[in-house]
Short mmCIF file of all heavy atoms in Angstrom, two decimals:
data_model
loop_
_atom_site.label_atom_id
_atom_site.label_comp_id
_atom_site.label_asym_id
_atom_site.label_seq_id
_atom_site.Cartn_x
_atom_site.Cartn_y
_atom_site.Cartn_z
N VAL K 62 103.01 89.40 64.95
CA VAL K 62 104.25 89.65 65.69
C VAL K 62 104.38 91.14 66.01
O VAL K 62 104.76 91.52 67.12
CB VAL K 62 105.47 89.18 64.87
CG1 VAL K 62 106.77 89.56 65.59
CG2 VAL K 62 105.42 87.67 64.66
N ALA K 63 104.03 92.00 65.05
CA ALA K 63 104.11 93.44 65.27
C ALA K 63 103.19 93.89 66.40
O ALA K 63 103.44 94.90 67.06
CB ALA K 63 103.75 94.18 63.98
N ARG K 64 102.12 93.12 66.63
CA ARG K 64 101.15 93.45 67.69
C ARG K 64 101.38 92.66 68.98
O ARG K 64 100.59 92.77 69.91
CB ARG K 64 99.74 93.14 67.19
CG ARG K 64 99.29 93.96 66.00
CD ARG K 64 97.98 93.43 65.47
NE ARG K 64 97.43 94.23 64.38
CZ ARG K 64 96.37 93.88 63.65
NH1 ARG K 64 95.74 92.73 63.91
NH2 ARG K 64 95.93 94.67 62.69
N HIS K 65 102.45 91.90 69.04
CA HIS K 65 102.68 91.03 70.19
C HIS K 65 102.63 91.86 71.49
O HIS K 65 103.23 92.94 71.57
CB HIS K 65 104.05 90.34 70.07
CG HIS K 65 104.22 89.19 70.99
ND1 HIS K 65 104.42 89.34 72.34
CD2 HIS K 65 104.19 87.84 70.77
CE1 HIS K 65 104.53 88.16 72.92
NE2 HIS K 65 104.38 87.24 72.00
N PRO K 66 101.91 91.39 72.50
CA PRO K 66 101.76 92.16 73.74
C PRO K 66 103.07 92.45 74.47
O PRO K 66 103.16 93.42 75.23
CB PRO K 66 100.83 91.29 74.60
CG PRO K 66 100.93 89.91 74.01
CD PRO K 66 101.15 90.12 72.55
N SER K 67 104.09 91.64 74.23
CA SER K 67 105.38 91.85 74.90
C SER K 67 106.39 92.58 74.02
O SER K 67 107.55 92.74 74.42
CB SER K 67 105.97 90.49 75.34
OG SER K 67 105.11 89.84 76.24
N ARG K 68 105.97 93.00 72.85
CA ARG K 68 106.90 93.69 71.95
C ARG K 68 107.32 95.02 72.57
O ARG K 68 106.50 95.72 73.17
CB ARG K 68 106.24 93.93 70.59
CG ARG K 68 107.21 94.40 69.50
CD ARG K 68 106.54 94.41 68.14
NE ARG K 68 107.44 94.90 67.10
CZ ARG K 68 108.31 94.15 66.44
NH1 ARG K 68 108.39 92.86 66.71
NH2 ARG K 68 109.10 94.67 65.51
N PRO K 69 108.61 95.38 72.47
CA PRO K 69 109.05 96.65 73.05
C PRO K 69 108.39 97.84 72.38
O PRO K 69 108.13 97.85 71.18
CB PRO K 69 110.57 96.64 72.81
CG PRO K 69 110.80 95.65 71.72
CD PRO K 69 109.73 94.63 71.86
N HIS K 70 108.11 98.86 73.20
CA HIS K 70 107.49 100.08 72.72
C HIS K 70 108.41 101.28 72.99
O HIS K 70 109.57 101.10 73.35
CB HIS K 70 106.12 100.27 73.38
CG HIS K 70 105.17 99.14 73.13
ND1 HIS K 70 104.82 98.75 71.86
CD2 HIS K 70 104.51 98.30 73.98
CE1 HIS K 70 103.98 97.72 71.94
NE2 HIS K 70 103.79 97.44 73.21
N PHE K 71 107.87 102.47 72.84
CA PHE K 71 108.67 103.70 72.93
C PHE K 71 109.49 103.76 74.22
O PHE K 71 110.71 104.01 74.18
CB PHE K 71 107.74 104.91 72.84
CG PHE K 71 108.44 106.23 72.88
CD1 PHE K 71 109.01 106.77 71.73
CD2 PHE K 71 108.55 106.94 74.07
CE1 PHE K 71 109.66 107.99 71.76
CE2 PHE K 71 109.20 108.16 74.10
CZ PHE K 71 109.76 108.70 72.95
N ARG K 72 108.87 103.53 75.36
CA ARG K 72 109.59 103.65 76.63
C ARG K 72 110.72 102.62 76.73
O ARG K 72 111.77 102.90 77.32
CB ARG K 72 108.62 103.50 77.80
CG ARG K 72 107.69 104.69 77.97
CD ARG K 72 106.87 104.58 79.25
NE ARG K 72 105.95 105.67 79.40
CZ ARG K 72 106.26 106.87 79.89
NH1 ARG K 72 107.50 107.13 80.26
NH2 ARG K 72 105.34 107.82 80.02
N ASP K 73 110.51 101.44 76.18
CA ASP K 73 111.56 100.41 76.21
C ASP K 73 112.76 100.85 75.37
O ASP K 73 113.91 100.68 75.78
CB ASP K 73 111.01 99.09 75.67
CG ASP K 73 109.83 98.58 76.49
OD1 ASP K 73 110.01 98.33 77.68
OD2 ASP K 73 108.73 98.47 75.92
N TYR K 74 112.48 101.42 74.20
CA TYR K 74 113.58 101.89 73.34
C TYR K 74 114.30 103.08 73.98
O TYR K 74 115.52 103.20 73.86
CB TYR K 74 113.06 102.24 71.95
CG TYR K 74 112.65 101.02 71.15
CD1 TYR K 74 111.33 100.81 70.77
CD2 TYR K 74 113.59 100.06 70.80
CE1 TYR K 74 110.96 99.69 70.05
CE2 TYR K 74 113.23 98.93 70.07
CZ TYR K 74 111.92 98.75 69.70
OH TYR K 74 111.55 97.63 69.00
N VAL K 75 113.54 103.95 74.64
CA VAL K 75 114.16 105.08 75.33
C VAL K 75 115.14 104.57 76.39
O VAL K 75 116.25 105.07 76.54
CB VAL K 75 113.08 105.97 75.99
CG1 VAL K 75 113.72 106.93 76.99
CG2 VAL K 75 112.32 106.75 74.93
N GLU K 76 114.73 103.54 77.12
CA GLU K 76 115.55 103.00 78.20
C GLU K 76 116.83 102.34 77.69
O GLU K 76 117.90 102.48 78.29
CB GLU K 76 114.74 101.99 79.01
CG GLU K 76 115.53 101.37 80.17
CD GLU K 76 114.72 100.37 80.96
OE1 GLU K 76 113.50 100.18 80.67
OE2 GLU K 76 115.29 99.73 81.87
N HIS K 77 116.73 101.62 76.56
CA HIS K 77 117.85 100.79 76.13
C HIS K 77 118.65 101.35 74.95
O HIS K 77 119.76 100.87 74.69
CB HIS K 77 117.34 99.39 75.77
CG HIS K 77 116.70 98.68 76.91
ND1 HIS K 77 117.38 98.37 78.07
CD2 HIS K 77 115.43 98.21 77.09
CE1 HIS K 77 116.57 97.74 78.90
NE2 HIS K 77 115.39 97.64 78.34
N ALA K 78 118.11 102.32 74.22
CA ALA K 78 118.82 102.81 73.03
C ALA K 78 119.23 104.27 73.12
O ALA K 78 120.12 104.71 72.39
CB ALA K 78 117.95 102.61 71.78
N PHE K 79 118.60 105.02 74.00
CA PHE K 79 118.86 106.46 74.10
C PHE K 79 119.30 106.83 75.52
O PHE K 79 119.12 106.05 76.45
CB PHE K 79 117.62 107.26 73.70
CG PHE K 79 117.14 106.97 72.30
CD1 PHE K 79 116.21 105.95 72.07
CD2 PHE K 79 117.61 107.68 71.22
CE1 PHE K 79 115.77 105.67 70.79
CE2 PHE K 79 117.18 107.40 69.92
CZ PHE K 79 116.26 106.39 69.71
N GLU K 80 119.85 108.03 75.66
CA GLU K 80 120.28 108.48 76.98
C GLU K 80 119.68 109.86 77.27
O GLU K 80 119.32 110.60 76.37
CB GLU K 80 121.81 108.61 77.06
CG GLU K 80 122.59 107.37 76.65
CD GLU K 80 122.97 107.38 75.18
OE1 GLU K 80 123.32 108.46 74.65
OE2 GLU K 80 122.88 106.31 74.55
N GLU K 81 119.59 110.15 78.57
CA GLU K 81 119.21 111.48 79.07
C GLU K 81 117.90 111.99 78.45
O GLU K 81 117.82 113.15 78.02
CB GLU K 81 120.34 112.48 78.83
CG GLU K 81 121.63 112.13 79.54
CD GLU K 81 122.74 113.14 79.32
OE1 GLU K 81 122.42 114.34 79.12
OE2 GLU K 81 123.92 112.75 79.33
N PHE K 82 116.89 111.13 78.39
CA PHE K 82 115.60 111.55 77.82
C PHE K 82 114.91 112.52 78.78
O PHE K 82 114.74 112.24 79.97
CB PHE K 82 114.72 110.33 77.57
CG PHE K 82 113.36 110.67 77.02
CD1 PHE K 82 113.24 111.26 75.78
CD2 PHE K 82 112.20 110.39 77.75
CE1 PHE K 82 111.99 111.59 75.26
CE2 PHE K 82 110.96 110.69 77.23
CZ PHE K 82 110.85 111.29 75.99
N VAL K 83 114.53 113.68 78.24
CA VAL K 83 113.79 114.69 79.01
C VAL K 83 112.44 114.89 78.34
O VAL K 83 112.35 115.53 77.29
CB VAL K 83 114.55 116.03 79.05
CG1 VAL K 83 113.77 117.07 79.85
CG2 VAL K 83 115.95 115.85 79.64
N PRO K 84 111.37 114.31 78.91
CA PRO K 84 110.05 114.41 78.26
C PRO K 84 109.48 115.82 78.31
O PRO K 84 109.68 116.55 79.28
CB PRO K 84 109.20 113.44 79.08
CG PRO K 84 109.86 113.37 80.42
CD PRO K 84 111.33 113.52 80.15
N LEU K 85 108.79 116.20 77.24
CA LEU K 85 108.09 117.47 77.17
C LEU K 85 106.63 117.18 76.86
O LEU K 85 106.33 116.37 75.97
CB LEU K 85 108.70 118.35 76.07
CG LEU K 85 110.17 118.74 76.26
CD1 LEU K 85 110.67 119.50 75.03
CD2 LEU K 85 110.36 119.58 77.50
N GLY K 86 105.71 117.83 77.57
CA GLY K 86 104.30 117.51 77.40
C GLY K 86 103.48 118.70 76.95
O GLY K 86 103.88 119.86 77.08
N GLY K 87 102.31 118.41 76.43
CA GLY K 87 101.34 119.43 76.08
C GLY K 87 101.52 120.03 74.71
O GLY K 87 102.62 120.09 74.17
N ASP K 88 100.38 120.47 74.14
CA ASP K 88 100.41 121.09 72.81
C ASP K 88 100.24 122.60 72.89
O ASP K 88 100.19 123.27 71.86
CB ASP K 88 99.32 120.49 71.91
CG ASP K 88 97.90 120.80 72.40
OD1 ASP K 88 97.77 121.26 73.57
OD2 ASP K 88 96.95 120.59 71.64
N ARG K 89 100.16 123.15 74.11
CA ARG K 89 99.98 124.59 74.34
C ARG K 89 98.68 125.09 73.72
O ARG K 89 98.55 126.27 73.38
CB ARG K 89 101.17 125.40 73.79
CG ARG K 89 102.52 125.01 74.38
CD ARG K 89 102.55 125.27 75.88
NE ARG K 89 103.87 125.05 76.43
CZ ARG K 89 104.31 123.89 76.94
NH1 ARG K 89 103.49 122.84 76.96
NH2 ARG K 89 105.52 123.78 77.44
N CYS K 90 97.73 124.18 73.59
CA CYS K 90 96.46 124.55 72.98
C CYS K 90 95.29 123.91 73.72
O CYS K 90 94.36 124.59 74.15
CB CYS K 90 96.46 124.15 71.51
SG CYS K 90 94.94 124.57 70.64
N TYR K 91 95.36 122.60 73.89
CA TYR K 91 94.27 121.87 74.54
C TYR K 91 94.74 121.09 75.76
O TYR K 91 94.19 121.21 76.86
CB TYR K 91 93.59 120.92 73.54
CG TYR K 91 92.50 120.09 74.16
CD1 TYR K 91 91.21 120.61 74.31
CD2 TYR K 91 92.75 118.79 74.60
CE1 TYR K 91 90.21 119.86 74.90
CE2 TYR K 91 91.76 118.03 75.19
CZ TYR K 91 90.49 118.56 75.34
OH TYR K 91 89.49 117.81 75.93
N GLY K 92 95.76 120.26 75.59
CA GLY K 92 96.22 119.43 76.70
C GLY K 92 97.34 118.50 76.26
O GLY K 92 97.98 118.73 75.23
#
Side-chain angles (χ1 to χ4, degrees):
V62 175
R64 296 172 176 172
H65 195 286
S67 299
R68 191 172 178 85
H70 301 303
F71 182 82
R72 289 188 182 277
D73 301 299
Y74 289 116
V75 166
E76 180 180 357
H77 299 299
F79 301 90
E80 307 93 38
E81 299 181 29
F82 179 64
V83 180
L85 299 174
D88 65 347
R89 302 297 187 268
C90 181
Y91 177 83

